[in-house]
Amino acid sequence: MPDEPKTLDPTARPATTTVPGAATAPPGAAVAGDSPARARAQRWTLGLVTVGLVLAALNLRPAITSLGALLEEVSADLHMSGTVAGVLTSVPPLCFAVFGITAPRLARRFGPAAVVCAGMAAIFAGLVLRPLAGGTIGFLAASALALMGIAVSNVLMPVIVKRYFPDRIGSMTGLYSMALALGTSVAAAATVPMTAALGGDWRIGLGVWAAVAALAVLPWLPLVRDRDRATPDSGTTAGSATSAATSATGTTAAATAAPRITRSRTAWALGCYFGLQATGAYITMGWMPQIFRDSGVPASTAGVLLAVTMVMGVPLAFVIPRLATRMKNQGPIVVALGLCGLAGYTGLFLAPAGGAWVWAVLLGVSNCSFPLALTMIGMRSRTGAGVVRLSAFAQSVGYLISIPGPLLVGVLYQHSGGWGLPIALMGGLMVPQMIVGTLAGRDRTVEDES
């Protein structure tokens, strides 16, 4: 095999496929022999992708956490019952499951960058239209539009990292996970005081986040025509393996580029882990401010407490993926995060207001299961094709699993008249989450099992 992988012309399609384990270069990566102009263009592309990842991640949760902070006002104005409000908090995982599964097909046809660009535009449109809704149906439809954009972008973030930064999966996953946590926490903390400063109308308080979404569209526009020189199902990255390497293995990359994900125990474990952590995350984002408000905490403080939970992901979302990529088995991290969640829910059950800040911190640490799950998606497949399929499978299965959680919490709250049963449910789900997460963290790939 040559010492240096070949870099394809940006407009060319790959002539051969990549054998798992063969050295490849990410799209836009400079290699020996590039002209100075080409090297500058490649560095510019990687810089643009980095900025795009950060801005996209900043917009993947404000549509949800800004609503959680104002859920009481929205429910009252739109005449929602507790059950209907529970349905509203279940819309995010439902949209992520339904629309997320379409991401691989869209990426094959238009390219991942173009799909993410369209996703950011959908988020912007949904956030503009949502405050204009005159009833629950219109509000749900506008929210679904924004969530559709979030769904496809969620799935393609690990794909873009794997393709453009294959040697920096941990650090780049950490970077955009940190940005995601920052956007989540800022929206949670700032929405209530910002709404008050703008006159107290929840429609304005929710609508201002459309401006942030508009910014996220811009860096992806120059990348729209970049079809990644390798479609997600081609099993290639920017480089190509030699025919000698192909003949040495006796197999083609196509045999492993499209693994049968449904036959992989690791894929199912990862999907279940993703689903259980998503259940806890969306229950937290949708209901935690209300739990604190019902225990006597002021609305503004309840929003800040949610922000504290979310902001824990800013430093930890950068540290945990880097740590995970240095470990062959991520099970110990799964268990540590799960125990923090158990402790947080126990405290929330026993003394929600008395130890509110401590419980918020513990639950924030537990919520860092999300960047860990994303990191494991990138580690559990050897090829770009495997990553896009595993990402779509794990996230779609996961979000399907998570749909009943927020709705069930709303029903239990309405019929029991308190938060005891819902919090007990949240804490109980941490046990199976640790079990399936440990299974997903084993050192193996979906290609080995499928």
Side-chain angles (χ1 to χ4, degrees):
M1 178 178 290
D3 292 333
E4 282 289 330
K6 297 179 181 178
T7 302
L8 298 182
D9 184 271
T11 61
R13 304 290 295 177
T16 58
T17 52
T18 299
V19 174
T24 58
V31 296
D34 277 345
S35 68
R38 181 179 174 83
R40 283 194 299 270
Q42 291 166 339
R43 288 194 296 269
W44 168 256
T45 298
L46 291 183
L48 201 60
V49 172
T50 301
V51 173
L53 282 170
V54 171
L55 288 177
L58 285 171
N59 284 277
L60 292 181
R61 294 298 179 269
I64 302 167
T65 52
S66 61
L67 176 59
L70 294 173
L71 184 59
E72 184 173 307
E73 289 76 8
V74 174
S75 299
D77 193 26
L78 299 180
H79 308 292
M80 297 180 186
S81 66
T83 300
V84 174
V87 171
L88 183 59
T89 58
S90 293
V91 169
L94 174 62
C95 289
F96 293 169
V98 171
F99 297 116
I101 198 67
T102 67
R105 179 176 297 178
L106 292 172
R108 285 198 302 272
R109 182 168 182 179
F110 302 106
V115 176
V116 172
C117 183
M120 295 298 109
I123 295 171
F124 167 72
L127 293 181
V128 167
L129 294 173
R130 189 163 67 172
L132 304 177
T136 301
I137 300 300
F139 189 89
L140 286 172
S143 296
L145 177 60
L147 293 167
M148 177 179 66
I150 296 173
V152 295
S153 301
N154 268 337
V155 171
L156 295 178
M157 291 290 103
V159 177
I160 289 175
V161 168
K162 179 83 168 183
R163 194 174 303 281
Y164 284 90
F165 308 96
D167 57 339
R168 287 182 281 164
I169 291 176
S171 60
M172 294 306 297
T173 300
L175 179 64
Y176 84 75
S177 296
M178 186 169 61
L180 189 151
L182 182 62
T184 305
S185 57
V186 169
T191 297
V192 170
M194 183 171 57
T195 302
L198 294 174
D201 189 343
W202 64 263
R203 297 177 185 274
I204 297 176
L206 293 183
V208 294
W209 297 105
V212 184
L215 291 176
V217 178
L218 301 179
W220 294 100
L221 290 174
L223 298 166
V224 164
R225 300 182 67 179
D226 178 8
R227 302 294 290 272
D228 278 80
R229 277 84 71 192
T231 59
D233 274 355
S234 69
T236 66
T237 56
S240 63
T242 63
S243 58
T246 303
S247 61
T249 61
T251 61
T252 64
T256 57
R260 293 182 180 271
I261 295 295
T262 55
R263 294 183 179 180
S264 168
R265 292 186 296 273
T266 296
W268 281 106
L270 191 51
C272 291
Y273 180 64
F274 199 99
L276 290 171
Q277 68 80 28
T279 299
Y282 287 105
I283 289 174
T284 298
M285 286 187 282
W287 288 111
M288 198 172 91
Q290 194 64 48
I291 293 174
F292 285 124
R293 290 176 73 168
D294 287 350
S295 68
V297 176
S300 59
T301 304
V304 173
L305 285 166
L306 177 59
V308 168
T309 298
M310 298 298 111
V311 83
M312 292 304 299
V314 175
L316 291 179
F318 190 72
V319 172
I320 288 176
R322 292 171 65 88
L323 178 61
T325 55
R326 288 173 168 82
M327 301 173 64
K328 288 187 175 182
N329 189 323
Q330 290 76 44
I333 305 178
V334 169
V335 173
L337 297 178
L339 291 176
C340 286
L342 273 176
Y345 286 126
T346 301
L348 203 59
F349 182 89
L350 297 175
W357 298 99
V358 177
W359 317 143
V361 169
L362 287 171
L363 291 175
V365 175
S366 178
N367 278 349
C368 288
S369 300
F370 176 72
L372 176 61
L374 292 179
T375 305
M376 289 195 290
I377 287 174
M379 297 176 67
R380 297 286 91 89
S381 177
R382 294 193 298 265
T383 67
V387 171
V388 72
R389 288 174 178 268
L390 180 57
S391 181
F393 177 82
Q395 294 197 45
S396 295
V397 168
Y399 286 125
L400 280 173
I401 291 173
S402 70
I403 290 170
L407 174 60
L408 184 57
V409 165
V411 172
L412 289 176
Y413 171 59
Q414 182 172 355
H415 290 281
S416 69
W419 288 106
L421 282 177
I423 294 173
L425 170 67
M426 299 179 215
L429 290 176
M430 297 306 302
V431 177
Q433 179 176 319
M434 286 187 282
I435 294 172
V436 295
T438 300
L439 294 175
R442 295 175 298 175
D443 184 21
R444 59 191 63 193
T445 64
V446 294
E447 289 85 0
D448 297 332
E449 298 177 334
S450 57

